[in-house]
Amino acid sequence: MINKRIETITSKLLEDYAVERIPIPVREIAKNRGLEVKPYDLGETVSGVLVIKDGEGFIGYNFNDSKVRQRFTIAHELGHYELHYNPTERSTLFVDKQFKVAFRNEDSSTGEMQNEKEANAFAAALLMPKKFIIKEIENRHLDLSDDKNLQILAKSFNVSISAMTFRLINLEIL
């Protein structure tokens, strides 16, 4: 399901930074938003962190992850910044684990799961904008019933095949 608010925010970001080609330069967008972006060894279970202290923002991503995962993590953390950061708080920390189990428990009502879903939707919308996807499909005459064409599309956007598949499903293109 598409979140129109998130689609609008990501479209505005792309417009503000005059992004007209793929793959989307996510690191540059984060840096333009005032966030420092650096690789770190975050262990096996952590993909990325967003730390904001005294108004200064920092995204750390796991250098052990694949390049497409690193891009998605940076976009995800940027999503937390754009959607969930409250400037009145002096310090904020978001830690995103790779293999978080989604089940209902005492944490389910805290809003953390919703924030993660929104940050994922933000990352997908930023890295794979609908209008760019449609343009790429039309320009390349891609038949998405062929898995090879799905791989071509994912490679064009520098995202994983699973990320592209979910995005196409959510956009009701696939």
Side-chain angles (χ1 to χ4, degrees):
M1 181 165 171
I2 297 301
N3 182 318
K4 289 183 182 185
R5 176 178 151 259
I6 291 171
E7 296 289 326
T8 300
I9 292 168
T10 56
S11 291
K12 176 113 174 66
L13 268 178
L14 294 171
E15 184 180 310
D16 288 350
Y17 296 111
V19 176
E20 297 178 6
R21 296 192 264 164
I22 55 172
I24 303 301
V26 66
R27 286 177 206 254
E28 289 76 18
I29 292 171
K31 288 177 184 178
N32 286 334
R33 300 297 295 149
L35 298 167
E36 188 175 350
V37 180
K38 285 193 173 180
Y40 283 94
D41 183 354
L42 298 172
E44 292 182 19
T45 62
V46 177
S47 294
V49 295
L50 169 65
V51 179
I52 302 168
K53 184 168 169 78
D54 299 325
E56 297 292 317
F58 164 81
I59 292 174
Y61 64 90
N62 196 328
F63 65 66
N64 293 309
D65 288 344
S66 69
K67 296 296 182 199
V68 293
R69 178 68 192 169
Q70 290 173 9
R71 286 174 43 77
F72 197 89
T73 296
I74 294 166
H76 177 99
E77 300 305 336
L78 179 58
H80 279 307
Y81 179 78
E82 295 294 330
L83 302 170
H84 307 132
Y85 168 56
N86 181 348
T88 61
E89 295 176 10
R90 292 191 50 81
S91 294
T92 304
L93 172 67
F94 292 93
V95 177
D96 291 300
K97 296 184 178 184
Q98 282 183 340
F99 303 108
K100 188 168 187 175
V101 178
F103 56 88
R104 187 161 179 76
N105 60 20
E106 64 275 0
D107 296 329
S108 299
S109 61
T110 65
E112 180 182 338
M113 291 296 286
Q114 185 62 31
N115 284 355
E116 292 305 310
K117 288 179 184 176
E118 289 175 353
N120 280 339
F122 181 95
L126 183 66
L127 294 175
M128 299 167 278
K130 181 179 181 177
K131 72 177 186 176
F132 288 43
I133 289 173
I134 292 170
K135 183 178 176 184
E136 192 72 3
I137 291 169
E138 289 173 354
N139 287 348
R140 290 181 173 245
H141 308 289
L142 298 176
D143 172 8
L144 297 180
S145 65
D146 182 344
D147 286 346
K148 286 183 182 179
N149 288 333
L150 190 57
Q151 291 172 351
I152 290 168
L153 193 59
K155 187 174 182 177
S156 297
F157 284 84
N158 201 7
V159 298
S160 70
I161 294 168
S162 61
M164 180 58 73
T165 302
F166 283 120
R167 180 68 172 153
L168 293 173
I169 290 168
N170 287 331
L171 291 172
E172 298 179 349
I173 294 172
L174 190 62

